[in-house]
Amino acid sequence: MTYDVETVTTQGQRRLRKVAKICEAYGHRVQKSVFEVVCRETDKVRFVAALREVIDPNQDSIRIYRLPAYALDDVEHLGKPRPVDPRGALVI
């Protein structure tokens, strides 16, 4: 999932921090505004609901890419390795 939150205003900066916290609770950050989230459908529903409560749909954008099972096995990665396996346990 990726997000782009307006940060020109103080309210936007607050929303950005809240969106990041929600994402950290469900997945692993792989870039500044990109997370790998592996979850069950029920968790996805909760995740999306939490994000909807925080964002301003007129200014912010969230994109969730649904991938086939085991798609992360085929990710080609260049540079610094992943710190964690996104399918592994998530400790909050």
Side-chain angles (χ1 to χ4, degrees):
M1 72 82 58
T2 67
Y3 59 83
D4 185 19
V5 177
E6 173 276 315
T7 58
V8 175
T9 65
T10 303
Q11 295 88 355
Q13 293 169 7
R14 227 175 274 130
R15 287 194 314 274
L16 175 67
R17 286 190 295 278
K18 288 180 181 180
V19 166
K21 283 288 188 193
I22 292 167
C23 292
E24 288 170 350
Y26 284 88
H28 301 282
R29 184 186 300 264
V30 292
Q31 292 186 354
K32 291 186 191 269
S33 61
V34 178
F35 281 77
E36 289 177 343
V37 178
V38 177
C39 64
R40 295 181 301 260
E41 187 62 29
T42 53
D43 293 325
K44 179 184 174 275
V45 170
R46 288 186 195 106
F47 179 45
V48 170
L51 291 169
R52 284 185 197 272
E53 287 182 23
V54 171
I55 68 166
D56 179 341
N58 296 314
Q59 297 185 25
D60 306 331
S61 173
I62 293 180
R63 297 178 66 94
I64 298 172
Y65 298 91
R66 195 170 220 162
L67 301 173
Y70 305 106
L72 293 177
D73 292 343
D74 294 327
V75 171
E76 185 173 345
H77 186 95
L78 306 175
K80 186 177 170 185
R82 276 190 227 184
V84 293
D85 180 353
R87 291 161 308 229
L90 178 62
V91 179
I92 302 171

